[in-house]
Amino acid sequence: ELDAVNRIIGTIGESPIDTLDDMTDVDSINAYRILQDISRQEQSRGWSFNRIPHFTLTPDTYSHKIPWNNNFLFLKANHHRHKLIRQGEFIKDLRRDSVIFEHPLDVEVVLYIPFDELPEAMRNYIIAKACFVFQQNYFGDDSLVKTTQMQMQEAWQYLQEYEIDNNNYSMFDITYVRKLLMR
């Protein structure tokens, strides 16, 4: 994260910092906050590296409650009997208005991954977008905005290539193509 913050503040010509602990420089603090916000925002989309389509949540044996995990960015029951949300430290089923679960739940989950553990393509995109947002919000030079915007677009393309290479996508998965084949 230190390298990422230094790249972000470098977009406006700031000198690099040595540590993320005890930051006093306002630009560094803002850059770090933007980096964290964009990381969480982009990961919440659900990617091949952080989306688990079938994840089992098991209730506690005694309380029959399922604790909330702060790494959950998205949680959806795979069976439409449950509508799940966070209530305090536990998962709640809105349909039943209860935090008590008698059986394990099969859910789809999107997990928050620490920045240093993200795939290179995602880290590059998050940094590029953070540079763009930071530069646009705090410096506003039109030529730099265009440069950081181009870098962000290139990083987005690289991320999309990563996703395509790491999944079994097919043109036949597209509804329109399926309809054409049925003619």
Side-chain angles (χ1 to χ4, degrees):
E1 289 180 326
L2 177 62
D3 291 337
V5 169
N6 281 329
R7 279 183 55 190
I8 295 166
I9 63 175
T11 61
I12 63 167
E14 284 287 323
S15 299
I17 59 173
D18 296 329
T19 181
L20 295 176
D21 300 328
D22 301 323
M23 287 186 291
T24 56
D25 179 54
V26 173
D27 289 333
S28 301
I29 293 168
N30 287 332
Y32 185 61
R33 181 186 48 78
I34 289 170
L35 179 72
Q36 290 178 319
D37 290 348
I38 289 176
S39 180
R40 196 164 191 87
Q41 172 191 5
E42 291 304 323
Q43 287 188 57
S44 68
R45 292 176 180 227
W47 300 86
S48 59
F49 60 85
N50 73 336
R51 183 179 163 271
I52 303 170
H54 293 282
F55 186 82
T56 303
L57 296 174
T58 307
D60 178 72
T61 308
Y62 301 107
S63 69
H64 298 285
K65 294 179 181 180
I66 300 174
W68 179 264
N69 183 328
N70 286 328
N71 288 338
F72 292 161
L73 294 174
F74 173 81
L75 186 66
K76 180 179 101 176
N78 283 328
H79 307 288
H80 297 289
R81 294 185 312 235
H82 305 284
K83 185 172 182 179
L84 306 174
I85 63 164
R86 175 183 186 172
Q87 182 175 15
E89 296 179 15
F90 301 101
I91 293 173
K92 179 180 181 177
D93 182 352
L94 278 178
R95 293 193 199 278
R96 295 184 307 112
D97 192 30
S98 176
V99 294
I100 305 298
F101 296 91
E102 297 300 324
H103 305 286
L105 296 176
D106 178 37
V107 299
E108 177 183 346
V109 65
V110 174
L111 296 173
Y112 177 78
I113 308 293
F115 185 79
D116 292 338
E117 296 174 19
L118 291 172
E120 186 71 18
M122 179 54 93
R123 279 198 313 262
N124 286 336
Y125 177 66
I126 290 169
I127 292 169
K129 187 170 181 180
C131 286
F132 174 75
V133 169
F134 180 78
Q135 196 283 320
Q136 188 178 32
N137 289 346
Y138 296 104
F139 203 61
D141 182 348
D142 287 339
S143 64
L144 285 177
V145 167
K146 289 178 185 175
T147 301
T148 55
Q149 190 172 25
M150 286 177 25
Q151 291 170 345
M152 184 175 68
Q153 289 171 343
E154 185 177 323
W156 176 256
Q157 290 171 346
Y158 177 57
L159 178 59
Q160 295 304 310
E161 289 173 15
Y162 172 86
E163 278 295 292
I164 289 169
D165 290 344
N166 286 295
N167 288 288
N168 294 325
Y169 295 124
S170 168
M171 288 295 289
F172 300 113
D173 293 336
I174 301 171
T175 306
Y176 179 74
V177 174
R178 278 194 222 147
K179 287 180 183 177
L180 288 174
L181 290 172
M182 296 175 75
R183 284 185 171 180

